[in-house]
Amino acid sequence: QVQLVESGGGLVQPGGSLRLSCTVSGLIFNLSNMDWYRQPPGKERELVATFTRADSTNFADSLKGRFTISRDNARNTVYLQMNSLKPDDTAVYYCHTGPPFWARDYWGQGTQVTVSS
């Protein structure tokens, strides 16, 4: 079975940092485009960042300079390094992969990030 498992969330003060991890099984990881999404309380899920199988990256404009996405193909893991965190970064963060290479979408269970003092 395909599984995407996130970890690394928690409570952090404004200005702090967290690194989220997503480990993938059941897919050929280095052929997968990997995405991070987040869903703030009461809001729609939104795309945060993408790391393509061609090793290109992109971010939502508002997050450039604070967040970094990386991947370790040997460990089938994609990371989201989050720096200078703000209260409005509070959300459940999800990793994702899917089309066009794979036939359907796959989602992790989500990990909670709370930024509060």
Side-chain angles (χ1 to χ4, degrees):
Q1 292 291 325
V2 175
Q3 288 191 315
L4 285 68
V5 180
E6 302 100 333
S7 63
L11 176 65
V12 64
Q13 295 180 351
S17 298
L18 286 173
R19 188 180 74 163
L20 307 183
S21 301
C22 174
T23 299
V24 178
S25 61
L27 295 171
I28 302 174
F29 181 76
N30 62 2
L31 298 181
S32 302
N33 297 326
M34 298 300 306
D35 310 307
W36 283 98
Y37 285 75
R38 70 183 184 184
Q39 187 166 18
K43 298 182 179 180
E44 297 180 354
R45 191 171 299 184
E46 63 185 9
L47 179 64
V48 174
T50 294
F51 202 137
T52 74
R53 64 182 185 174
D55 293 336
S56 65
T57 63
N58 62 78
F59 290 86
D61 288 341
S62 63
L63 302 178
K64 291 180 179 178
R66 295 196 297 120
F67 287 16
T68 302
I69 189 170
S70 61
R71 62 193 292 168
D72 184 341
N73 288 340
R75 298 180 178 179
N76 286 1
T77 299
V78 62
Y79 303 94
L80 184 68
Q81 178 68 46
M82 305 185 294
N83 300 319
S84 301
L85 285 163
K86 304 175 181 179
D88 61 4
D89 294 319
T90 295
V92 178
Y93 285 72
Y94 300 89
C95 64
H96 164 268
T97 190
F101 192 84
W102 307 116
R104 56 156 289 183
D105 294 292
Y106 297 98
W107 294 91
Q109 83 286 356
T111 185
Q112 176 70 48
V113 172
T114 302
V115 184
S116 181
S117 61

